[in-house]
Amino acid sequence: MSDPRFTLQLVPRSPEGQGALETYFSAEAQKSRKRLPGAQADDAIRSFRDAVTHLTNRCDDFLTGNAKQICHLVLGKVQSGKTAHLLGSLAWAADSQIRAAVVFTGITDSLNEQTCKRLESDLAELSGNPIRVLVVPTVRNRRDFAEFMETLLGLAHSRSGIAHSGQPLPVLVALKNRARATAVATAFAQLAEVFGESSTVLAIDDESDQASQNAKSRQRKVAPTYRALAAVRSLPMRNIWLSYTATPQAVLLTDRQGELRPDFVAVVPPGIGYFGISEAMAENFSPGRVEVTDFRVRASRQPSCPQSLSDAIWRFFLTAWVRSQFPSNFYCDASIPYEASQRLDSTQMLIHESGMHTDHNRMLRLVEDEWEGLKRLAVKYVNGSLAEADRSSYMQTFSDIAEQLDKAGAPIVPLMTEFGTAEGQSRFLNLLSDCKIAVINSDATAQAAHGHRPVDDKDYAQHKTWILIGGDILGRGITIPHLTVSYFLRSSKSPNFDTVLQQLRFCGYRRDYAKWTSIHAPLQSFEDLKHMEIVDRAVWERAAAWDRDEVRIIGETMPRVFYVSPAGARFEPTRSSVRDPDISDHSIGTDSIFGLREIFDPRDFRENLALLKRWKAEAGLAENQSDSKWLRFDDVPPRSLVRLMTSWSGSADECRRLEAVSELFDPGLQELGLVDVPSVTFVSQFLADVWDSPTDLINRLGEIQVTRGARPGLSGSSLGEWREAFQNQEFLPPNHRPVLKTPHIGGGQRSLRDGIPHSAVIFIIEPILALEESRNVSSAMAGGIGFAALSPTNFEIRTIGHA
């Protein structure tokens, strides 16, 4: 190819040298060995390599196949190393036949900047310079876009579309908005025109639960940003799409046939030393959870700094002093001694109370006033001008904080003598003086921002201490590397699970100093976190199963999402605007979990009779026959209940519903499901009497005592036709089948539940006659087997999906 536009001068990587992915693995391995001892480092290195190659092997399979596109949902924990995994995917792409890649970073410049810095430092600067980072301009900026395209086409040409070309991979970095996504689509369309439709590109959607999903799904419309992103994926060239997130609900609940829906899931397990929501809610961390009771109005209405905020600030500076002066004590739980490791010499505190800029500015002033007051006290303590009573009160406050830390297991009490000396207070004053207080929001030039926003360790190293006031960008991607104190008040009357989970910046690799960390929040927030921990754990288990079994999660086969709402829980799984309006959202409240209505096909009757007989025999169930009407089985093993529900014969819609409910008994759901809840199953003795000889049923229909009103089929329904079909083991035509007008469950069935002295899931299986006229047995049209379940008390479980 000799297009005169291609003037870019390139220096190829040595063909004898190590590939980009192996070079990247080596660099990451060095980081692990600085943080972990030999055996643990080996495990961490192996685990990370396995997680990356697990996904890239699937991508290799795609490249050797004939499919046009593939999409993987890549799920990791909040701040657990998803970006490192993402960089591994790009390193793989640099070694492959991928022509170009794009990373959609988020909706703010700060995330864009952070991603660019990480790409440059961790990939572009590796030996051989395997990638070239290109920030995407808008198409309307004609000069910049023309220069951008010239560079992109030159890099793509040099790679020749073959693996291990030795030339850098062009990696586009784009904000997640319509203009930038349109620019990416335009650029890739030109790539397809120049190099052919067989060329392959890689698109990475970072924080894919954010702006990537269709914000007009509920209206059955397409949002501009979603349309622009979908245009990238629908280009004629082959493409791999990777959607990275820690909260997949927004991705899984959007349009069934949406352009950005993933085909499969790949999970990224957190590395050694990760401190997440499970650790924060563990019993041994209870001293680190500090309840806030005095922050009752917004920051903009606070006349002065609340005591809880003052306490949190003083606690932060005391722990920062320990980190600075006694790092070995601070890192006493670290696997490698402080002296043998390289650690950031800076400590941070986060305050997140509101998304409103007026609150940010007021919070900034409150914090600055408290900080200035603490500095004045420290100055007077050092120069001896502080009155004795004030001096004693000053030190008593820090002693109280030390006592709280001591309860958490932090070895601070022996250090307090040093803290009270003139030298100790002088060093404390120096630490106080080297503090940066700043608001982090989407406008880095705002007055409250106080200068350049920190992005990486080099930025944070400019000051010994930082107090960051969370703004509107806190919920996605912002890294606070050495966070010790979190003052978290951000809340909503109707919070979305995925949004709140992303705001938990206290998650990360903090286990080495977890005893020194604290989370200050209202009691309601801690209750919410307990609920979120349960949901997060269950979703993770579900996704791991989808990954292990390579479950296809798109189209008709997509799985359902489950979540639990204990009495009073406030969460929705994701924002309502992105949810498919056709999604099925079943609330399992205080009565019926399910009750089948399409039960009157005679062939289904026969098959379910045989199923019940086989199920009882195979499960080896012991009967607790409470009276002559019922076989009663207590605490049937969950796997047996699942087998019964998933094997039941009925209409396609009701079988899908049964399958959805059966998953509530999956042990992987843990507290999210019903596996640990007692159960009682009632099977009518009448059914047991006839399952050995189903033809006896015809002569015994009059013995069926439960009757319910039913709608005839569109072409009519008659008991004679039903009898004939039953004897001939045939299905009734769909338009001849009656359907229950009302639920199976009535007073008689509830009385069975009322007779159980404990809370339990109650299953009821019994014969029912369909009556065209209520209470008129002579109007019977068909017989069927009613199958229903009543929920235990205080459960509000919801099954949500496209079933």
Side-chain angles (χ1 to χ4, degrees):
M1 188 170 181
S2 58
D3 193 311
R5 291 177 293 174
F6 300 136
T7 58
L8 188 67
Q9 297 297 311
L10 300 166
V11 180
R13 295 197 300 277
S14 168
E16 295 80 23
Q18 203 174 38
L21 184 56
E22 285 301 323
T23 302
Y24 177 68
F25 280 149
S26 297
E28 289 299 300
Q30 290 181 13
K31 295 178 184 178
S32 293
R33 296 199 184 283
K34 291 177 181 177
R35 187 174 61 89
L36 298 167
Q40 287 189 26
D42 290 340
D43 289 343
I45 292 166
R46 187 182 308 108
S47 177
F48 179 70
R49 176 185 284 268
D50 289 346
V52 173
T53 55
H54 175 66
L55 177 60
T56 58
N57 286 343
R58 292 184 181 181
C59 294
D60 279 326
D61 292 340
F62 168 81
L63 291 179
T64 58
N66 297 318
K68 179 188 172 185
Q69 59 186 23
I70 190 75
C71 179
H72 292 275
L73 175 66
V74 188
L75 179 63
K77 300 283 188 179
V78 174
Q79 294 200 146
S80 68
K82 294 189 302 298
T83 301
H85 188 282
L86 183 155
L87 295 176
S89 298
L90 287 172
W92 163 84
D95 288 336
S96 74
Q97 66 195 55
I98 301 293
R99 283 276 187 181
V102 60
V103 180
F104 293 106
T105 60
I107 60 175
T108 61
D109 288 326
S110 59
L111 291 182
N112 219 43
E113 179 187 1
Q114 182 170 288
T115 299
C116 287
K117 279 194 170 186
R118 187 75 181 272
L119 288 170
E120 291 286 358
S121 63
D122 288 21
L123 270 189
E125 295 177 5
L126 290 177
S127 61
N129 308 115
I131 70 166
R132 172 81 177 274
V133 179
L134 304 177
V135 178
V136 178
T138 63
V139 177
R140 294 182 64 180
N141 192 337
R142 295 183 180 180
R143 177 177 295 179
D144 288 352
F145 191 75
E147 293 177 358
F148 160 77
M149 282 306 307
E150 181 178 0
T151 303
L152 172 60
L153 290 170
L155 289 164
H157 171 64
S158 69
R159 288 180 61 78
S160 306
I162 61 173
H164 300 287
S165 66
Q167 301 294 347
L169 171 74
V171 177
L172 285 56
V173 179
L175 284 169
K176 212 178 294 183
N177 59 38
R178 176 176 57 179
R180 306 291 171 159
T182 298
V184 172
T186 302
F188 282 177
Q190 289 192 39
L191 284 183
E193 181 181 344
V194 173
F195 302 111
E197 296 181 1
S198 62
S199 296
T200 307
V201 293
L202 170 66
I204 294 181
D205 182 2
D206 199 10
E207 306 294 350
S208 62
D209 60 305
Q210 193 183 23
S212 316
Q213 304 313 309
N214 186 8
K216 291 191 175 182
S217 283
R218 210 68 175 167
Q219 305 173 38
R220 300 186 187 278
K221 297 179 181 178
V222 180
T225 297
Y226 187 87
R227 180 181 292 109
L229 289 165
V232 176
R233 197 174 184 210
S234 61
L235 288 169
M237 56 198 320
R238 301 183 76 202
N239 64 80
I240 300 171
W241 194 282
L242 305 179
S243 296
Y244 280 81
T245 185
T247 55
Q249 289 91 327
V251 183
L252 293 174
L253 301 183
T254 193
D255 309 303
R256 181 199 291 265
Q257 302 298 343
E259 292 288 341
L260 303 184
R261 282 202 64 86
D263 300 285
F264 299 98
V265 170
V267 297
V268 181
I272 296 172
Y274 179 70
F275 181 92
I277 188 171
S278 294
E279 286 74 23
M281 299 314 298
E283 180 60 31
N284 63 359
F285 190 72
S286 59
R289 297 192 294 269
V290 182
E291 184 181 350
V292 173
T293 61
D294 60 353
F295 210 108
R296 299 184 180 90
V297 296
R298 305 175 66 128
S300 56
R301 299 178 183 176
Q302 289 284 355
S304 61
C305 184
Q307 186 61 47
S308 62
L309 178 57
S310 175
D311 291 344
I313 291 172
W314 284 45
R315 178 167 179 154
F316 165 65
F317 282 114
L318 180 59
T319 57
W321 176 82
V322 175
R323 162 66 188 89
S324 177
Q325 300 303 310
F326 298 94
S328 295
N329 294 66
F330 189 80
Y331 294 112
C332 61
D333 290 333
S335 300
I336 286 184
Y338 168 77
E339 295 78 6
S341 62
Q342 294 181 0
R343 297 180 183 270
L344 178 65
D345 190 18
S346 172
T347 316
Q348 300 94 45
M349 173 181 180
L350 173 66
I351 301 171
H352 189 45
E353 181 256 343
S354 171
M356 300 295 291
H357 284 213
T358 54
D359 290 320
H360 303 166
N361 294 332
R362 178 57 181 160
M363 183 67 81
L364 179 70
R365 290 193 293 273
L366 291 173
V367 172
E368 286 179 334
D369 289 346
E370 185 65 26
W371 171 60
E372 292 287 357
L374 180 55
K375 277 199 302 180
R376 286 194 296 270
L377 287 173
V379 168
K380 290 181 178 181
Y381 191 99
V382 170
N383 64 26
S385 63
L386 192 64
E388 186 60 34
D390 293 334
R391 187 182 183 92
S392 176
S393 176
Y394 173 81
M395 286 305 302
Q396 185 60 49
T397 300
F398 285 113
S399 295
D400 291 344
I401 295 170
E403 185 177 341
Q404 295 170 11
L405 288 167
D406 186 66
K407 289 180 181 178
I412 188 174
V413 172
L415 309 179
M416 292 307 294
T417 301
E418 174 68 20
F419 182 73
T421 65
E423 184 179 1
Q425 279 296 297
S426 179
R427 292 176 176 175
F428 182 64
L429 179 58
N430 290 336
L431 191 74
L432 280 170
S433 301
D434 191 14
C435 178
K436 180 72 171 179
I437 305 174
V439 171
I440 49 172
N441 59 30
S442 57
D443 184 3
T445 64
Q447 182 179 1
H450 281 201
H452 180 72
R453 181 190 302 111
V455 172
D456 56 21
D457 285 5
K458 292 180 181 178
D459 293 331
Y460 282 105
Q462 294 176 16
H463 299 280
K464 290 288 187 182
T465 56
W466 293 75
I467 299 180
L468 300 171
I469 297 165
D472 52 356
I473 64 169
L474 183 68
R476 298 294 190 282
I478 294 297
T479 298
I480 307 173
H482 226 167
L483 181 65
T484 58
V485 175
S486 298
Y487 191 80
F488 189 84
L489 305 179
R490 183 76 179 267
S491 187
S492 169
K493 291 182 179 179
S494 300
N496 294 319
F497 177 90
D498 52 357
T499 300
V500 176
L501 186 63
Q502 291 284 9
Q503 294 171 349
L504 305 185
R505 297 294 103 188
F506 57 74
C507 296
Y509 287 92
R510 315 193 191 284
R511 200 173 295 178
D512 285 356
Y513 58 93
K515 291 175 181 176
W516 299 91
T517 63
S518 59
I519 304 167
H520 304 247
L523 179 61
Q524 179 64 63
S525 294
F526 287 128
E527 292 298 321
D528 289 346
L529 289 175
K530 288 179 184 178
H531 167 65
M532 292 175 68
E533 193 278 328
I534 294 170
V535 175
D536 183 60
R537 181 155 35 95
V539 169
W540 182 267
E541 292 288 340
R542 179 68 56 195
W546 295 340
D547 183 8
R548 181 183 62 250
D549 300 335
E550 296 190 30
V551 174
R552 194 171 183 86
I553 60 170
I554 193 171
E556 299 299 327
T557 60
M558 62 167 291
R560 297 153 194 84
V561 176
F562 293 82
Y563 59 99
V564 67
S565 297
R570 310 178 300 149
F571 283 95
E572 290 295 326
T574 188
R575 55 200 186 278
S576 61
S577 62
V578 305
R579 288 167 57 175
D580 186 341
D582 296 323
I583 210 160
S584 176
D585 192 347
H586 297 293
S587 178
I588 302 173
T590 58
D591 197 5
S592 176
I593 296 177
F594 71 86
L596 303 186
R597 295 195 182 204
E598 300 176 45
I599 62 174
F600 295 114
D601 184 81
R603 183 70 176 270
D604 288 341
F605 199 129
R606 275 184 171 272
E607 292 186 355
N608 289 327
L609 268 181
L611 170 65
L612 287 169
K613 177 182 178 182
R614 186 170 62 251
W615 172 73
K616 179 181 180 296
E618 290 176 352
L621 299 176
E623 302 168 19
N624 179 358
Q625 191 167 4
S626 55
D627 57 44
S628 60
K629 287 186 58 179
W630 298 102
L631 302 178
R632 172 178 160 179
F633 307 105
D634 290 351
D635 293 323
V636 175
R639 63 181 181 275
S640 294
L641 291 173
V642 168
R643 186 162 63 248
L644 179 63
M645 285 183 277
T646 56
S647 302
W648 196 262
S649 295
S651 71
D653 285 345
E654 293 203 324
C655 284
R656 279 196 293 268
R657 188 178 178 198
L658 277 177
E659 182 183 357
V661 173
S662 75
E663 294 187 19
L664 291 170
F665 294 87
D666 184 335
L669 283 176
Q670 300 178 51
E671 294 96 329
L672 240 188
L674 299 172
V675 68
D676 293 324
V677 177
S679 69
V680 179
T681 303
F682 291 96
V683 178
S684 167
Q685 181 64 51
F686 177 92
L687 297 177
D689 290 343
V690 300
W691 66 34
D692 285 323
S693 181
T695 54
D696 291 347
L697 176 70
I698 297 300
N699 298 322
R700 298 185 62 177
L701 284 175
E703 298 178 29
I704 296 177
Q705 297 180 9
V706 179
T707 61
R708 294 289 185 270
R711 294 188 302 271
L714 294 177
S715 298
S717 303
S718 72
L719 187 59
E721 184 182 16
W722 186 91
R723 288 174 185 268
E724 183 179 355
F726 186 89
Q727 288 178 320
N728 296 332
Q729 302 185 37
E730 295 175 347
F731 290 108
L732 273 179
N735 57 356
H736 286 237
R737 299 175 192 169
V739 177
L740 283 179
K741 291 180 182 178
T742 57
H744 165 202
I745 297 300
Q749 289 72 30
R750 292 189 181 91
S751 68
L752 291 174
R753 181 181 63 183
D754 295 342
I756 304 300
H758 56 271
S759 179
V761 182
I762 309 298
F763 292 92
I764 300 172
I765 305 171
E766 62 183 332
I768 298 176
L769 278 181
L771 304 184
E772 188 170 6
E773 298 176 17
S774 180
R775 299 185 181 180
N776 182 1
V777 177
S778 65
S779 70
M781 299 176 286
I785 299 180
F787 189 8
L790 298 175
S791 68
T793 56
N794 299 323
F795 273 72
E796 297 176 7
I797 299 171
R798 290 164 72 178
T799 64
I800 189 164
H802 289 81

